[in-house]
Amino acid sequence: MEFELNLFTGSLLALAGFAAGFINIIAGGGAMITVPLMILFGIPADVANGSNRLAVITQSLVAVQQFKQKEVFKGVDVIALLSPCVFGTLSGALLISYLPEEMMKMVILGTMIVIATAIMFFPESVFANEDEEPLHIKEKPIGIFWMFLAGFYGGAIQAGVGFLLIAILGGVLRYDLIKGNALKMACTLLFGCLSLLIFVMRGQVWWGPAIILGVSSVVGVLVSVNFAFKVHKKVLKRILLGMVVLACVSALVS
């Protein structure tokens, strides 16, 4: 099947972009919607993976600005958190541009199953308590390794990286869900910029679908940020678990 950008495919891509932008703020897994849809439309898997990165950049940029306005980043050393991700992202994006698609599926499924198990049976390993103070990454050196790993995964695959970041930021560094989600978007902004550059150089980006997803995902972000601040954190946790389970199912059937 050869991809054709028309009113039908463009409209579905726009809806998928909106949905991805919305759920990426409060949970993650937006790429589980957009990438399979592009593949279904006949876009090669590696190109779909690369083209999705523009939407990652646009939604992350808007989300970071929204969270910054609400002073969520106050007192957080964002640079220290992002630094290990830079090397991981570049390594992951370079590696995945040469690896077969089947290996991508195995990594996604394995990651989602581990995170879903942790949320269901060991929630304290993922979610910080309300009264906990977050740890600076220098206080928890193992966090450097985990943030590098998140960067590697985000640069390579992106799909499901939000779940991994929430698990690391909440479980290892003990950030609450709001700050964790804000920092997650700062990380994905970095992943998106670095990896998009590599995928463009490798000729693995189709700009038509990429732009549609990029614009529509911004609308989803603007709606989602306000929702995240109004809803109870228990609801956010349930949404997160539900999205991880759906991501597992998506990886199994795709």
mmCIF file of all heavy atoms in Angstrom, residues 43 56 61 74 76 83 102 106 108 117 121 124 136 139 141 146 154 173 194 202 206 222 224 230 233 244 249:
data_model
loop_
_atom_site.group_PDB
_atom_site.id
_atom_site.type_symbol
_atom_site.label_atom_id
_atom_site.label_comp_id
_atom_site.label_asym_id
_atom_site.label_seq_id
_atom_site.Cartn_x
_atom_site.Cartn_y
_atom_site.Cartn_z
ATOM 1 N N ILE A 43 2.978 4.160 5.192
ATOM 2 C CA ILE A 43 4.267 4.821 5.430
ATOM 3 C C ILE A 43 5.221 3.796 6.066
ATOM 4 O O ILE A 43 4.842 3.136 7.033
ATOM 5 C CB ILE A 43 4.095 6.038 6.354
ATOM 6 C CG1 ILE A 43 3.184 7.072 5.698
ATOM 7 C CG2 ILE A 43 5.441 6.667 6.697
ATOM 8 C CD1 ILE A 43 2.856 8.271 6.570
ATOM 9 N N VAL A 56 6.417 15.408 18.360
ATOM 10 C CA VAL A 56 7.020 15.344 19.696
ATOM 11 C C VAL A 56 7.596 16.707 20.077
ATOM 12 O O VAL A 56 7.426 17.189 21.198
ATOM 13 C CB VAL A 56 8.126 14.263 19.741
ATOM 14 C CG1 VAL A 56 8.901 14.332 21.061
ATOM 15 C CG2 VAL A 56 7.527 12.877 19.564
ATOM 16 N N LEU A 61 7.271 21.440 23.263
ATOM 17 C CA LEU A 61 7.601 22.858 23.391
ATOM 18 C C LEU A 61 6.443 23.632 24.012
ATOM 19 O O LEU A 61 6.632 24.415 24.961
ATOM 20 C CB LEU A 61 7.947 23.433 22.017
ATOM 21 C CG LEU A 61 8.314 24.917 21.973
ATOM 22 C CD1 LEU A 61 9.542 25.192 22.829
ATOM 23 C CD2 LEU A 61 8.559 25.358 20.529
ATOM 24 N N LYS A 74 9.862 25.503 39.079
ATOM 25 C CA LYS A 74 10.519 26.297 40.114
ATOM 26 C C LYS A 74 11.305 25.398 41.070
ATOM 27 O O LYS A 74 10.774 24.445 41.627
ATOM 28 C CB LYS A 74 9.475 27.097 40.899
ATOM 29 C CG LYS A 74 10.071 28.155 41.802
ATOM 30 C CD LYS A 74 8.973 28.998 42.430
ATOM 31 C CE LYS A 74 9.549 30.101 43.321
ATOM 32 N NZ LYS A 74 8.476 30.934 43.916
ATOM 33 N N VAL A 76 13.738 23.378 40.340
ATOM 34 C CA VAL A 76 14.191 22.127 39.720
ATOM 35 C C VAL A 76 15.389 22.404 38.820
ATOM 36 O O VAL A 76 15.346 23.319 37.989
ATOM 37 C CB VAL A 76 13.060 21.474 38.893
ATOM 38 C CG1 VAL A 76 13.564 20.191 38.247
ATOM 39 C CG2 VAL A 76 11.847 21.195 39.769
ATOM 40 N N SER A 83 21.075 16.643 31.004
ATOM 41 C CA SER A 83 22.439 16.386 30.503
ATOM 42 C C SER A 83 22.695 14.917 30.166
ATOM 43 O O SER A 83 23.215 14.608 29.084
ATOM 44 C CB SER A 83 23.472 16.894 31.507
ATOM 45 O OG SER A 83 23.374 18.295 31.638
ATOM 46 N N GLU A 102 11.450 -5.342 13.709
ATOM 47 C CA GLU A 102 11.041 -6.360 14.683
ATOM 48 C C GLU A 102 11.704 -6.147 16.038
ATOM 49 O O GLU A 102 11.097 -6.396 17.075
ATOM 50 C CB GLU A 102 11.380 -7.764 14.153
ATOM 51 C CG GLU A 102 10.430 -8.241 13.062
ATOM 52 C CD GLU A 102 8.973 -8.233 13.516
ATOM 53 O OE1 GLU A 102 8.702 -8.694 14.637
ATOM 54 O OE2 GLU A 102 8.124 -7.763 12.748
ATOM 55 N N MET A 106 9.952 -5.621 19.969
ATOM 56 C CA MET A 106 10.317 -6.402 21.157
ATOM 57 C C MET A 106 10.708 -5.485 22.316
ATOM 58 O O MET A 106 10.319 -5.712 23.464
ATOM 59 C CB MET A 106 11.472 -7.355 20.814
ATOM 60 C CG MET A 106 11.089 -8.485 19.883
ATOM 61 S SD MET A 106 12.526 -9.451 19.346
ATOM 62 C CE MET A 106 13.171 -10.004 20.914
ATOM 63 N N ILE A 108 9.806 -2.284 22.780
ATOM 64 C CA ILE A 108 8.622 -1.559 23.246
ATOM 65 C C ILE A 108 7.779 -2.440 24.155
ATOM 66 O O ILE A 108 7.390 -2.039 25.258
ATOM 67 C CB ILE A 108 7.772 -1.072 22.056
ATOM 68 C CG1 ILE A 108 8.514 0.014 21.272
ATOM 69 C CG2 ILE A 108 6.424 -0.521 22.539
ATOM 70 C CD1 ILE A 108 7.839 0.399 19.981
ATOM 71 N N THR A 117 3.634 -3.733 35.203
ATOM 72 C CA THR A 117 3.759 -4.583 36.393
ATOM 73 C C THR A 117 4.122 -3.755 37.617
ATOM 74 O O THR A 117 3.561 -3.948 38.714
ATOM 75 C CB THR A 117 4.828 -5.671 36.160
ATOM 76 O OG1 THR A 117 4.469 -6.443 35.017
ATOM 77 C CG2 THR A 117 4.948 -6.584 37.374
ATOM 78 N N PHE A 121 1.584 -3.595 40.841
ATOM 79 C CA PHE A 121 1.955 -4.378 42.023
ATOM 80 C C PHE A 121 2.932 -3.666 42.960
ATOM 81 O O PHE A 121 3.013 -4.007 44.138
ATOM 82 C CB PHE A 121 2.546 -5.725 41.589
ATOM 83 C CG PHE A 121 1.592 -6.565 40.797
ATOM 84 C CD1 PHE A 121 1.758 -6.732 39.430
ATOM 85 C CD2 PHE A 121 0.506 -7.175 41.401
ATOM 86 C CE1 PHE A 121 0.879 -7.496 38.678
ATOM 87 C CE2 PHE A 121 -0.392 -7.951 40.674
ATOM 88 C CZ PHE A 121 -0.200 -8.111 39.306
ATOM 89 N N GLU A 124 4.548 2.112 44.833
ATOM 90 C CA GLU A 124 5.502 2.981 45.535
ATOM 91 C C GLU A 124 6.819 3.099 44.787
ATOM 92 O O GLU A 124 7.593 4.033 45.007
ATOM 93 C CB GLU A 124 5.743 2.470 46.958
ATOM 94 C CG GLU A 124 6.519 1.167 47.072
ATOM 95 C CD GLU A 124 5.689 -0.084 46.766
ATOM 96 O OE1 GLU A 124 4.455 0.036 46.611
ATOM 97 O OE2 GLU A 124 6.278 -1.178 46.707
ATOM 98 N N HIS A 136 17.645 15.675 44.194
ATOM 99 C CA HIS A 136 18.509 16.178 43.123
ATOM 100 C C HIS A 136 19.268 14.987 42.546
ATOM 101 O O HIS A 136 19.615 14.043 43.257
ATOM 102 C CB HIS A 136 19.494 17.214 43.673
ATOM 103 C CG HIS A 136 20.209 17.981 42.603
ATOM 104 N ND1 HIS A 136 21.275 17.452 41.891
ATOM 105 C CD2 HIS A 136 20.022 19.239 42.106
ATOM 106 C CE1 HIS A 136 21.703 18.347 41.022
ATOM 107 N NE2 HIS A 136 20.961 19.434 41.131
ATOM 108 N N GLU A 139 22.172 13.743 44.343
ATOM 109 C CA GLU A 139 21.923 12.982 45.561
ATOM 110 C C GLU A 139 21.635 11.520 45.257
ATOM 111 O O GLU A 139 21.727 10.670 46.143
ATOM 112 C CB GLU A 139 20.727 13.577 46.329
ATOM 113 C CG GLU A 139 20.912 15.012 46.774
ATOM 114 C CD GLU A 139 19.643 15.539 47.408
ATOM 115 O OE1 GLU A 139 18.754 16.024 46.677
ATOM 116 O OE2 GLU A 139 19.545 15.464 48.640
ATOM 117 N N PRO A 141 22.974 9.292 42.396
ATOM 118 C CA PRO A 141 23.782 9.140 41.179
ATOM 119 C C PRO A 141 23.248 8.098 40.196
ATOM 120 O O PRO A 141 23.458 8.231 38.985
ATOM 121 C CB PRO A 141 25.155 8.725 41.724
ATOM 122 C CG PRO A 141 25.186 9.263 43.117
ATOM 123 C CD PRO A 141 23.782 9.161 43.615
ATOM 124 N N TRP A 146 19.845 6.111 34.742
ATOM 125 C CA TRP A 146 18.466 5.932 34.295
ATOM 126 C C TRP A 146 18.042 7.009 33.302
ATOM 127 O O TRP A 146 17.303 6.730 32.348
ATOM 128 C CB TRP A 146 17.524 5.898 35.491
ATOM 129 C CG TRP A 146 17.555 4.595 36.218
ATOM 130 C CD1 TRP A 146 18.068 4.351 37.457
ATOM 131 C CD2 TRP A 146 17.069 3.327 35.735
ATOM 132 N NE1 TRP A 146 17.934 3.030 37.784
ATOM 133 C CE2 TRP A 146 17.320 2.371 36.746
ATOM 134 C CE3 TRP A 146 16.439 2.920 34.562
ATOM 135 C CZ2 TRP A 146 16.964 1.036 36.608
ATOM 136 C CZ3 TRP A 146 16.083 1.586 34.414
ATOM 137 C CH2 TRP A 146 16.345 0.662 35.434
ATOM 138 N N GLY A 154 14.318 7.029 24.207
ATOM 139 C CA GLY A 154 13.577 8.101 23.544
ATOM 140 C C GLY A 154 14.149 8.441 22.187
ATOM 141 O O GLY A 154 13.415 8.697 21.232
ATOM 142 N N LEU A 173 13.737 9.453 41.396
ATOM 143 C CA LEU A 173 14.022 10.806 41.879
ATOM 144 C C LEU A 173 12.872 11.408 42.690
ATOM 145 O O LEU A 173 13.010 12.534 43.185
ATOM 146 C CB LEU A 173 14.375 11.708 40.692
ATOM 147 C CG LEU A 173 15.634 11.260 39.918
ATOM 148 C CD1 LEU A 173 15.825 12.102 38.667
ATOM 149 C CD2 LEU A 173 16.870 11.329 40.804
ATOM 150 N N LEU A 194 16.947 16.358 18.918
ATOM 151 C CA LEU A 194 18.165 15.642 18.542
ATOM 152 C C LEU A 194 17.871 14.512 17.559
ATOM 153 O O LEU A 194 18.582 14.330 16.568
ATOM 154 C CB LEU A 194 18.860 15.093 19.792
ATOM 155 C CG LEU A 194 19.427 16.132 20.769
ATOM 156 C CD1 LEU A 194 20.014 15.454 21.999
ATOM 157 C CD2 LEU A 194 20.485 16.993 20.090
ATOM 158 N N ARG A 202 19.051 11.039 7.643
ATOM 159 C CA ARG A 202 18.920 9.679 7.109
ATOM 160 C C ARG A 202 17.777 9.567 6.098
ATOM 161 O O ARG A 202 17.525 8.501 5.553
ATOM 162 C CB ARG A 202 18.665 8.697 8.255
ATOM 163 C CG ARG A 202 19.833 8.541 9.216
ATOM 164 C CD ARG A 202 20.838 7.524 8.707
ATOM 165 N NE ARG A 202 20.227 6.220 8.606
ATOM 166 C CZ ARG A 202 20.601 5.271 7.749
ATOM 167 N NH1 ARG A 202 21.589 5.512 6.911
ATOM 168 N NH2 ARG A 202 19.997 4.109 7.710
ATOM 169 N N TRP A 206 8.872 12.211 6.389
ATOM 170 C CA TRP A 206 7.974 12.706 5.354
ATOM 171 C C TRP A 206 7.232 13.888 5.949
ATOM 172 O O TRP A 206 6.479 13.755 6.914
ATOM 173 C CB TRP A 206 6.990 11.616 4.909
ATOM 174 C CG TRP A 206 7.659 10.534 4.086
ATOM 175 C CD1 TRP A 206 8.968 10.431 3.773
ATOM 176 C CD2 TRP A 206 7.009 9.411 3.480
ATOM 177 N NE1 TRP A 206 9.211 9.306 3.009
ATOM 178 C CE2 TRP A 206 8.031 8.662 2.818
ATOM 179 C CE3 TRP A 206 5.701 8.958 3.424
ATOM 180 C CZ2 TRP A 206 7.750 7.489 2.121
ATOM 181 C CZ3 TRP A 206 5.427 7.786 2.725
ATOM 182 C CH2 TRP A 206 6.438 7.060 2.074
ATOM 183 N N LEU A 222 -2.765 21.867 24.698
ATOM 184 C CA LEU A 222 -3.391 23.020 25.354
ATOM 185 C C LEU A 222 -4.622 22.603 26.162
ATOM 186 O O LEU A 222 -4.860 23.119 27.259
ATOM 187 C CB LEU A 222 -3.780 24.063 24.301
ATOM 188 C CG LEU A 222 -2.603 24.741 23.583
ATOM 189 C CD1 LEU A 222 -3.098 25.629 22.453
ATOM 190 C CD2 LEU A 222 -1.764 25.547 24.568
ATOM 191 N N SER A 224 -5.047 19.505 27.383
ATOM 192 C CA SER A 224 -4.629 18.536 28.390
ATOM 193 C C SER A 224 -3.967 19.163 29.612
ATOM 194 O O SER A 224 -4.143 18.680 30.733
ATOM 195 C CB SER A 224 -3.666 17.524 27.753
ATOM 196 O OG SER A 224 -3.362 16.492 28.659
ATOM 197 N N LYS A 230 -6.569 20.246 37.000
ATOM 198 C CA LYS A 230 -7.887 20.242 37.643
ATOM 199 C C LYS A 230 -8.258 18.878 38.218
ATOM 200 O O LYS A 230 -8.970 18.786 39.212
ATOM 201 C CB LYS A 230 -8.959 20.673 36.626
ATOM 202 C CG LYS A 230 -8.865 22.141 36.235
ATOM 203 C CD LYS A 230 -9.898 22.487 35.169
ATOM 204 C CE LYS A 230 -9.782 23.955 34.761
ATOM 205 N NZ LYS A 230 -10.748 24.304 33.678
ATOM 206 N N LYS A 233 -5.068 13.603 41.513
ATOM 207 C CA LYS A 233 -3.891 12.816 41.139
ATOM 208 C C LYS A 233 -4.178 11.321 41.046
ATOM 209 O O LYS A 233 -3.526 10.597 40.301
ATOM 210 C CB LYS A 233 -2.744 13.080 42.122
ATOM 211 C CG LYS A 233 -2.138 14.464 41.963
ATOM 212 C CD LYS A 233 -0.974 14.690 42.882
ATOM 213 C CE LYS A 233 -0.408 16.104 42.705
ATOM 214 N NZ LYS A 233 0.719 16.369 43.624
ATOM 215 N N VAL A 244 -0.691 2.509 29.901
ATOM 216 C CA VAL A 244 0.396 1.511 29.817
ATOM 217 C C VAL A 244 -0.165 0.171 29.362
ATOM 218 O O VAL A 244 0.444 -0.519 28.517
ATOM 219 C CB VAL A 244 1.105 1.371 31.186
ATOM 220 C CG1 VAL A 244 2.137 0.254 31.112
ATOM 221 C CG2 VAL A 244 1.805 2.671 31.561
ATOM 222 N N VAL A 249 -0.995 -3.867 24.860
ATOM 223 C CA VAL A 249 -1.875 -4.517 23.869
ATOM 224 C C VAL A 249 -1.515 -4.089 22.454
ATOM 225 O O VAL A 249 -1.431 -4.908 21.546
ATOM 226 C CB VAL A 249 -3.347 -4.187 24.173
ATOM 227 C CG1 VAL A 249 -4.256 -4.752 23.087
ATOM 228 C CG2 VAL A 249 -3.755 -4.730 25.541
#
